[in-house]
Amino acid sequence: MDYKTFQPHSDLDSLVKFYWTLQVPFDPKNQKQKIIPDGCIEMTFNFADKIKKYTSDTESILQDTAMIMGQRTKSFDILPTGKVDTFAICFYPIGFGVATFD
């Protein structure tokens, strides 16, 4: 597993908390991982295989390859279906609402 964080350019540091990347080779022994709410809004891009998001102990959905996740209020489990190669932008709670993209 290769997880890295990067600080934003000074022009964005009031909006973006950090960027992160995650690369994990496929392992058939992978287990569910719990995602804990952190108060941030994230924009994520998945460049590899799909990731399952569990909606209950036994049911899951496949997450989109690009998505915006709002502030989470409860934890959930995920499980990679193969290789993981993800890039994400972690915004401060207010950062996404005031960000403009020209």
Side-chain angles (χ1 to χ4, degrees), residues 49-77:
D49 299 310
K50 296 280 188 173
I51 297 174
K52 288 182 184 180
K53 176 183 177 184
Y54 282 82
T55 56
S56 72
D57 288 339
T58 57
E59 296 180 15
S60 64
I61 59 171
L62 291 176
Q63 291 187 318
D64 291 329
T65 55
M67 63 185 157
I68 298 172
M69 287 190 287
Q71 291 177 304
R72 296 174 293 278
T73 58
K74 58 184 179 176
S75 60
F76 59 90
D77 292 321

Side-chain angles (χ1 to χ4, degrees), residues 2-100:
D2 186 20
Y3 173 77
K4 295 178 182 172
T5 61
F6 306 91
Q7 293 305 305
H9 186 276
S10 59
D11 289 346
L12 297 173
D13 65 5
S14 65
L15 305 175
V16 175
K17 189 173 185 179
F18 59 88
Y19 305 103
W20 62 265
T21 60
L22 177 64
Q23 295 179 328
V24 182
F26 176 68
D27 183 346
K29 299 176 199 167
N30 279 341
Q31 298 181 4
K32 292 180 185 177
Q33 296 179 1
K34 187 164 293 297
I35 304 299
I36 307 294
D38 62 5
C40 295
I41 297 169
E42 288 186 328
M43 183 182 297
T44 61
F45 302 91
N46 181 16
F47 304 111
D49 299 310
K50 296 280 188 173
I51 297 174
K52 288 182 184 180
K53 176 183 177 184
Y54 282 82
T55 56
S56 72
D57 288 339
T58 57
E59 296 180 15
S60 64
I61 59 171
L62 291 176
Q63 291 187 318
D64 291 329
T65 55
M67 63 185 157
I68 298 172
M69 287 190 287
Q71 291 177 304
R72 296 174 293 278
T73 58
K74 58 184 179 176
S75 60
F76 59 90
D77 292 321
I78 61 168
L79 178 66
T81 63
K83 178 182 170 186
V84 175
D85 185 4
T86 302
F87 170 78
I89 305 165
C90 182
F91 291 88
Y92 284 107
I94 193 149
F96 192 82
V98 298
T100 58

